[in-house]
Amino acid sequence: MIIFPAVDMRRGKCVRLVQGRAEHETVYSEDPLVVARRWCEQGASWLHLVDLDGAMVQGSHNRTIARKIFEALPIPVQFGGGVRTLSDIEELLAAGATRVIVGTAAVERPDLVEEALSRHPGQVVVGLDARRGRVATRGWNQLEALEALPFARDLARRGVERIVYTDIGKDGTLQGPNLEATGQMARESGLKVIASGGVSSLQDLSRLRHLESSGVEGVIVGKALYEGRFSLEAALSAVAG
């Protein structure tokens, strides 16, 4: 199972939010590049990079920082936040992103995902964010009528291979991941799933590892690392084997 340390950027800084709420922000570093390098040096095999301003449709210069991170790190980086057009996807891939995550646009413009997948197979991931079983978009500020699991099944039918599945109610809370929903998503959607939201302990990681056979191939870890609940080295050990 892959551990994806998360670097969330807002206004050029490395931050964490609680349940996606901007008013519940903690700044962990003035320089996301320094943080990204630290996770790489500590053994990360992947990095999860997010432009929160882009996700919230507020505009930012975070992509300039993202390019520096792509160039500086010898490990693959997946990038999400504010990706809404094919040109966004191709610009980010050209800049050095290994995978690009499409969220809101996957709901509002399904044709975009299909075209992007046909041009860049294996490099486009859908970010499926859910609140109480329904899909959320626009930086988690808009709750759609779509139910998460049927939407995931439709994504699989359209050729999507992988999703980042976030239980918004768990994100940034350090209350443990939604194991039941994550496992069900992996088993019943036919997609590879990267779990996100709520990891607080090494036990959480061990429990997620037991879902690997169901299709959960990785987990994004953010606040628990920044708050020192455990080290990246310990996290990597917890999912090894």
Side-chain angles (χ1 to χ4, degrees):
M1 176 171 283
I2 301 169
I3 297 285
F4 294 80
V7 176
D8 291 359
M9 301 180 293
R10 186 165 185 251
R11 294 177 295 192
K13 301 175 182 179
C14 177
V15 309
R16 295 299 294 171
L17 307 182
V18 176
Q19 298 179 340
R21 296 174 182 171
E23 67 271 21
H24 294 159
E25 175 189 86
T26 302
V27 177
Y28 288 102
S29 174
E30 299 288 326
D31 191 343
L33 177 55
V34 169
V35 178
R37 279 182 168 144
R38 183 170 79 235
W39 297 138
C40 181
E41 290 165 359
Q42 291 182 12
S45 61
W46 273 86
L47 186 78
H48 179 73
L49 185 62
V50 179
D51 178 358
L52 291 173
D53 294 312
M56 296 175 182
V57 203
Q58 294 175 345
S60 72
H61 299 291
N62 291 334
R63 285 197 189 177
T64 300
I65 302 171
R67 290 188 189 94
K68 293 178 181 178
I69 291 173
F70 300 151
E71 293 170 1
L73 266 58
I75 61 173
V77 179
Q78 62 182 23
F79 176 94
V83 179
R84 295 186 176 85
T85 66
L86 186 61
S87 62
D88 283 336
I89 295 168
E90 297 191 329
E91 173 191 326
L92 287 158
L93 291 174
T98 303
R99 295 200 295 233
V100 176
I101 302 165
V102 180
T104 297
V107 176
E108 298 180 351
R109 293 188 55 200
D111 58 310
L112 168 67
V113 174
E114 292 180 15
E115 184 174 1
L117 285 169
S118 68
R119 294 194 187 194
H120 307 285
Q123 292 188 283
V124 179
V125 179
V126 171
L128 199 168
D129 306 321
R131 191 190 299 275
R132 296 185 298 278
R134 289 170 58 191
V135 175
T137 58
R138 299 284 170 179
W140 301 352
N141 291 312
Q142 182 170 307
L143 198 60
E144 305 288 340
L146 285 172
E147 292 186 9
L149 185 54
F151 178 58
R153 290 177 179 139
D154 183 59
L155 291 174
R157 284 193 292 270
R158 291 194 278 119
V160 174
E161 297 177 7
R162 176 178 288 106
I163 62 171
V164 173
Y165 175 65
T166 304
D167 184 313
I168 297 169
K170 294 287 189 177
D171 191 72
T173 65
L174 295 175
Q175 294 178 355
N178 189 332
L179 296 169
E180 182 179 355
T182 301
Q184 182 184 29
M185 179 62 67
R187 287 190 303 272
E188 299 185 20
S189 69
L191 296 165
K192 297 176 183 178
V193 172
I194 299 171
S196 176
V199 169
S200 64
S201 67
L202 295 177
Q203 288 76 16
D204 289 336
L205 295 176
S206 296
R207 293 184 185 107
L208 281 165
R209 183 173 174 265
H210 290 307
L211 297 177
E212 196 169 13
S213 60
S214 298
V216 179
E217 66 172 12
V219 53
I220 294 166
V221 185
K223 193 171 184 179
L225 288 174
Y226 290 98
E227 295 286 338
R229 294 294 184 98
F230 48 78
S231 67
L232 179 56
E233 181 183 8
L236 294 169
S237 296
V239 299

